[in-house]
Amino acid sequence: MAAENSKQFWKRSAKLPGSIQPVYGAQHPPLDPRLTKNFIKERSKVNAVPLKNKKASSFHEFARNTSDAWDIGDDEEEDFSSPSLQTLNSKVALATAAQVLENHSKLRVKPERSQSTTSDGPTGYKVIKSSSDAQLSRNSSDTCLRNPLHKQQSLPLRPIIPLVARISDQNASGAPPMTVREKTRLEKFRQLLSSHNTDLDELRKCSWPGVPREVRPVTWRLLSGYLPANTERRTLTLQRKREEYFGFIEQYYDSRNEEHHQDTYRQIHIDIPRTNPLIPLFQQPLVQEIFERILFIWAIRHPASGYVQGINDLVTPFFVVFLSEYVEEDVENFDVTNLSQDILRSIEADSFWCMSKLLDGIQDNYTFAQPGIQKKVKALEELVSRIDEQVHNHFRRYEVEYLQFAFRWMNNLLMRELPLRCTIRLWDTYQSEPEGFSHFHLYVCAAFLIKWRKEILDEEDFQGLLMLLQNLPTIHWGNEEIGLLLAEAYRLKYMFADAPNHYRR
């Protein structure tokens, strides 16, 4: 009975969100029964099913068995009061709780920790102070529960920063937001952008180490191929493309109520509230309506792939960057109803076109069977086996498949692994690199994985490895960490990109 209940816990009925088969793709790897082996009472060996039989035999089976396990609250029909699910060892629970209390009491006596919980949100807006703090506390508690002895030691003793706040400087190290060097770089950008014909090669070279916030919106439009290099043509191009987008809205958006588009629109409608749920900006009804229109129009205009879960995440960096063009303070708690209708329409249209340009280069990630992701995950496995054979063999020893953690890395471009401020910095470089969102992303993922080699090798079971790889502690990351990650990715690309036999087994 316990095995049946544990299986039904993750099974989605046709009435519940995340079960729509025509909308292809997934956010999470398939659930392996070994993840719950410590929490669900084991059946007798006579009735047990061998673990290897549970593995997906093909990518199609993997896609069919993948459930969008976002929110336990979706399973309203499940009975969680069943005795079979309440089998936690009371001694272990008490010992773990005591360890958590001890760790939190140690943290409270450190002045930098206690002071960092104060919020510096902009005045005049209702700041949901607990959004970032709650996530940090939850991460700390989860870490203690997972490995109470040594995981706490790996947390950096540096100031806590919110998920999106201070997006203007994006520094986790507390450096001044504008140094002399940064002022010089900003002036260089302004000269490039104001010239009659912007030198795009030079702009890419300047953008690789990051784009200043003040010029990031126009730089991203140029690097995306959305704006022409000629300054005289930019105003007319923006006007024409924005009118074209809202022409699509008038032509196609009402069709969301038609039967053959119901599955697509319903899945979009389900996924939008789940996009960055801890950031108040994306929970505003007006912002969610904008995202719904962008995603539905894109799906209608790209029938080869349609809407795939994960594409909703790719809108957010563009939306935040183009919003920052009109908002001086940090945007985490900004009320978009304070902006005019014309400004909101401009932000919406520009986000749509730039996201479309991005997806044009990686559309095979989202067509049927998602061949692009399959190839990239396989390439990552081969690359890691050459870069760090010890980590690769560690995964093989404990039967960890790369698809179980790297699928999300490729599907969401690491957006679920990094704070939004880090994603924006990362995309500065991606747009500067040839095939940055496809080819260079592979080397960033390899560098990202090897960054955690010590923590990976410390885990000595399947469950611990999957829990680590799906909850990597990057909440404190800023420009410094992303810069080091990109430098290592560039080194790997330099060594392996022009010598593909180096990473072929």
Side-chain angles (χ1 to χ4, degrees), residues 10 12 18-19 21 25-31 56 59-69 309 403 407:
W10 292 103
R12 290 289 194 255
S19 62
Q21 295 301 324
Q27 298 282 21
H28 299 287
L31 181 75
F59 188 85
H60 298 280
E61 185 178 347
F62 155 72
R64 286 196 302 270
N65 292 338
T66 303
S67 61
D68 184 18
Q309 291 174 310
L403 196 66
F407 177 86

Side-chain angles (χ1 to χ4, degrees), residues 5-19:
N5 285 337
S6 64
K7 182 179 180 181
Q8 291 296 325
F9 178 86
W10 292 103
K11 185 177 180 181
R12 290 289 194 255
S13 68
K15 299 182 292 182
L16 295 178
S19 62

Side-chain angles (χ1 to χ4, degrees), residues 29-30 32 34 399-407 462 466 470:
D32 195 292
R34 287 170 286 184
E399 298 182 301
V400 174
E401 301 289 340
Y402 282 75
L403 196 66
Q404 291 170 316
F405 62 88
F407 177 86
F462 174 87
L466 260 292
Q470 294 179 4

Side-chain angles (χ1 to χ4, degrees), residues 343-358:
I343 289 176
L344 288 174
R345 286 168 64 91
S346 299
I347 294 171
E348 179 177 346
D350 292 355
S351 299
F352 169 82
W353 286 115
C354 288
M355 184 199 73
S356 298
K357 294 285 187 180
L358 185 161

Side-chain angles (χ1 to χ4, degrees), residues 120-133:
D120 297 327
T123 58
Y125 299 104
K126 185 178 180 181
V127 178
I128 304 178
K129 172 187 171 185
S130 61
S131 61
S132 300
D133 295 343

Side-chain angles (χ1 to χ4, degrees), residues 182-281:
E182 288 170 339
K183 289 180 180 178
T184 304
R185 292 189 68 243
L186 178 58
E187 186 59 32
K188 173 68 172 176
F189 270 94
R190 285 176 171 158
Q191 289 177 3
L192 278 170
L193 297 172
S194 61
S195 61
H196 183 68
N197 284 294
T198 299
D199 186 342
L200 294 181
D201 290 335
E202 185 65 23
L203 184 63
R204 290 188 185 95
K205 188 184 299 183
C206 292
S207 300
W208 207 98
V211 181
R213 180 184 190 265
E214 294 81 356
V215 294
R216 183 177 277 129
V218 64
T219 301
W220 276 28
R221 292 188 187 103
L222 285 164
L223 296 180
S224 297
Y226 174 45
L227 271 188
N230 186 286
T231 54
E232 295 177 355
R233 295 173 51 206
R234 291 177 191 171
T235 302
L236 289 177
T237 299
L238 282 177
Q239 181 180 351
R240 176 174 56 83
K241 298 296 285 185
R242 289 167 180 172
E243 290 176 355
E244 185 179 354
Y245 168 72
F246 284 100
F248 295 152
I249 296 289
E250 294 179 7
Q251 184 176 357
Y252 298 118
Y253 194 56
D254 287 340
S255 67
R256 69 189 185 280
N257 298 316
E258 297 176 5
E259 185 176 355
H260 59 288
H261 290 151
Q262 276 292 295
D263 286 342
T264 296
Y265 180 71
R266 180 173 179 270
Q267 191 62 50
I268 291 173
H269 190 74
I270 289 169
D271 289 344
I272 293 301
R274 299 165 172 172
T275 305
N276 294 300
L278 296 176
I279 301 176
L281 172 70

Side-chain angles (χ1 to χ4, degrees), residues 278-290:
L278 296 176
I279 301 176
L281 172 70
F282 298 110
Q283 302 309 305
Q284 298 178 36
L286 189 56
V287 174
Q288 294 184 356
E289 290 172 11
I290 289 173

